[in-house]
Amino acid sequence: QVQLVESGGGLVQPGGSLRLSCAASGSLFTIYDMGWHRQAPGKQRELVAFITSGGRTNYADSVKGRFTIFRDNAKNTVYLQMNSLKPEDTAVYYCNADIVSTMGKDDYWGQGTQVTVSS
């Protein structure tokens, strides 16, 4: 069974920084694309950033220049470095990954971690 476990959320003041982590574990063979999404209260879940197995990245316009996604393939972990945080970045952040495991290829999601940007 494959699991994604996020960490690193919390309360931060506007202009501050946080780093989120998401580690994949279990009977997995290959991890392809990994990404971060977020969902604010009353809004739909949106893609924040993703990174391919080859390291190509893509970002939502709202976070370009402030957030950086990167991965450590040896640790099966994806990170989201968030700088210059704004109140509108407040949301539950979820990671996801396309993973080939003993069960085949599937899209897995973490449980979410709360990020609150407030003074």
Side-chain angles (χ1 to χ4, degrees):
Q1 186 176 0
V2 174
Q3 286 187 318
L4 297 181
V5 178
E6 298 125 335
S7 60
L11 173 64
V12 64
Q13 291 187 341
S17 298
L18 281 176
R19 177 178 292 185
L20 306 183
S21 301
C22 172
S25 63
S27 303
L28 60 90
F29 298 122
T30 305
I31 303 177
Y32 292 103
D33 293 357
M34 304 184 83
W36 288 95
H37 296 69
R38 67 186 180 187
Q39 187 166 18
K43 294 187 176 182
Q44 290 187 330
R45 189 175 297 189
E46 62 175 354
L47 175 66
V48 176
F50 75 81
I51 182 167
T52 68
S53 57
R56 182 175 62 86
T57 59
N58 195 31
Y59 297 90
D61 288 342
S62 59
V63 306
K64 281 181 181 176
R66 300 188 298 122
F67 290 11
T68 302
I69 187 171
F70 58 101
R71 61 194 285 173
D72 184 337
N73 291 330
K75 296 182 178 180
N76 294 332
T77 300
V78 63
Y79 303 90
L80 186 68
Q81 177 66 43
M82 305 185 293
N83 299 329
S84 303
L85 282 161
K86 305 175 181 180
E88 50 264 43
D89 294 318
T90 295
V92 178
Y93 284 70
Y94 300 88
C95 70
N96 82 302
D98 290 330
I99 296 174
V100 176
S101 70
T102 54
M103 301 298 291
K105 188 174 184 294
D106 207 344
D107 185 29
Y108 292 87
W109 289 81
Q111 80 285 356
T113 185
Q114 177 70 47
V115 171
T116 302
V117 184
S118 174
S119 55

